[in-house]
Amino acid sequence: QVQLVESGGGLVQPGGSLRLSCAASGFPFSNYSMSWFRQAPGKGLEWVSRIYGDGSTRYADSVKGLFTVSRDNAKNTLFLQMDSLKPDNTAVYYCTRDRGVTQDVSTYWTNDYWGQGTQVTVSS
């Protein structure tokens, strides 16, 4: 039974930092790419970052140089380190398991399992 449980959210002042965690179970964690998504108030889901099983990473342009995704395969845990936080980073952050479908030279990503989310609020 696949389970993803986020933690680490909370209230932080602008310019501060938070580290989100996602505890994964029920599947061979190291074999899967994982992504973080977020949903700000009144907005749709936005992809934030991806980390592949080999540790390589991808980031949305809006968070490059500010957020860092990592994973501890021995502990089946995914992380998102968020630095220099701004009010527009306020959102519910979701941990997801990726599914990639390759057609010709392109890979299309979907997400087959989601956690419940953790609230991040950036406010003075």
Side-chain angles (χ1 to χ4, degrees), residues 29-87:
F29 178 72
S30 63
N31 292 343
Y32 283 83
S33 171
M34 304 290 293
S35 281
W36 289 98
F37 281 75
R38 66 186 179 188
Q39 187 167 27
K43 297 185 177 181
L45 286 166
E46 177 189 16
W47 173 78
V48 174
S49 185
R50 173 178 297 113
I51 184 166
Y52 295 88
D54 67 2
S56 61
T57 58
R58 302 288 186 274
Y59 297 94
D61 288 343
S62 61
V63 305
K64 286 182 179 177
L66 303 172
F67 290 8
T68 303
V69 64
S70 61
R71 64 195 297 163
D72 185 342
N73 286 337
K75 297 183 177 180
N76 286 5
T77 305
L78 175 72
F79 301 99
L80 184 67
Q81 177 69 40
M82 305 186 295
D83 298 318
S84 301
L85 284 164
K86 300 173 288 185

Side-chain angles (χ1 to χ4, degrees), residues 1 3 14 19 22 33 38 41 45 54 56 60 67-68 78 88 90 92 96-97 116-117 122:
Q1 184 177 30
Q3 187 175 32
R19 188 176 73 164
C22 171
S33 171
R38 66 186 179 188
L45 286 166
D54 67 2
S56 61
F67 290 8
T68 303
L78 175 72
D88 63 4
T90 295
V92 177
T96 73
R97 191 178 81 171
Q116 295 299 307
V122 184

Side-chain angles (χ1 to χ4, degrees), residues 111-124:
N111 307 276
D112 56 4
Y113 291 95
W114 294 68
Q116 295 299 307
T118 186
Q119 175 71 49
V120 172
T121 302
V122 184
S123 177
S124 60

Side-chain angles (χ1 to χ4, degrees), residues 3-16:
Q3 187 175 32
L4 302 172
V5 181
E6 301 94 338
S7 62
L11 176 64
V12 64
Q13 294 184 343

